[in-house]
Each structure stands twice: as C-alpha cells, then as structure tokens.
Amino acid sequence: MEAITQGVNNINMATDSHKKNRIQVSNSKKPLFFYVNLAKRYMQQHNEVELSALGMAIATVVTIAEILKNNGLAVEKKITTATVDMKEESRGRPVQKAKIEILLGKTENFDELMAAAAEEREAVD
C-alpha cells in the first residue's frame, strides 16, 4: 500500500498535488457514503471538490459523482484520466494503473438542498 501511496504523491497531473479539496478514494478503507458525505462537506467549504482514484477504486469515484449529481448537489466541471507507473507491492515490479480525477462544483441550489436535508434530520431527532 505504501508504494501506491508514494506513486500517488509523485503524480503531478494537477498543478497542486496537495489540494485542500481533493479526496483520494479507496475501495477498501471506507464505506461509499463516507465519501459522499465528505464530498458534500468539501463542497460547502470550497465550492468544489476533486475526487481522485486509482485502478479498481475508479468505479467508486464514478458512483460518488453520480450520486451527488443525481441528488442535484453537484455538476461536473472536469474529468481527467491517465495511466500512472508504480511498483507492485509484492514483487516490486513496475505496473501501470488507471487514474481518474473528477472535479465537481456546487449546483445553484446546493445550499437550499443541504439546508432542507438538515431540517429533515432535525425533525427526525
């Protein structure tokens, strides 16, 4: 896992590799809705969020983006794909992995939808 993390840190697809609004998604570490809720929070703070993933986690990033879009919270601003070189953990041999970055921005009615969801939660409690 460290080799993958190092490989991701060495990628310079974006101008700033340590963006405050970037979420690097993993298949195995957190449940899907952890990332959905984190993306909502990032959009509240920064007006946009960049979802990033390698390999098998790409499907998870696309799912997160589609959930946010279908709920009327986000619009796609940019999608970037690439192939990155990294070392395999077990054997140390070089492998290529697919990478995706999806930049999402807030919709015009994002704040109203978030406020309505907060009111619903308060009504249930």
Side-chain angles (χ1 to χ4, degrees):
M1 194 66 201
E2 287 175 346
I4 292 174
T5 305
Q6 277 181 325
V8 171
N9 289 339
N10 291 337
I11 297 168
N12 239 351
M13 254 172 57
T15 52
D16 181 12
S17 60
H18 297 288
K19 288 183 179 178
K20 290 182 177 146
N21 64 336
R22 174 181 285 173
I23 301 172
Q24 292 181 323
V25 176
S26 164
N27 267 29
S28 54
K29 289 189 178 159
K30 304 277 183 195
L32 178 70
F33 275 88
F34 167 83
Y35 292 113
V36 171
N37 292 324
L38 185 61
K40 288 179 191 176
R41 204 168 317 136
Y42 277 32
M43 282 195 292
Q44 281 177 319
Q45 294 170 352
H46 304 288
N47 293 326
E48 60 183 28
V49 64
E50 185 177 291
L51 302 170
S52 175
L54 292 173
M56 301 298 282
I58 288 173
T60 306
V61 160
V62 172
T63 303
I64 295 163
E66 288 301 315
I67 288 169
L68 294 167
K69 285 172 33 188
N70 290 338
N71 289 331
L73 297 169
V75 290
E76 281 174 20
K77 287 187 166 185
K78 185 171 129 187
I79 299 176
T80 310
T81 60
T83 306
V84 294
D85 295 317
M86 47 189 43
K87 287 210 177 358
E88 190 181 68
E89 284 176 37
S90 56
R91 298 188 189 128
R93 66 179 183 193
V95 292
Q96 289 193 319
K97 288 226 177 202
K99 178 179 180 172
I100 192 167
E101 291 179 344
I102 302 176
L103 184 63
L104 298 174
K106 288 198 314 192
T107 57
E108 288 180 19
N109 56 347
F110 175 89
D111 294 319
E112 292 127 48
L113 291 168
M114 291 299 286
E119 285 176 23
E120 279 181 36
R121 280 194 302 276
E122 286 175 17
V124 171
D125 291 344

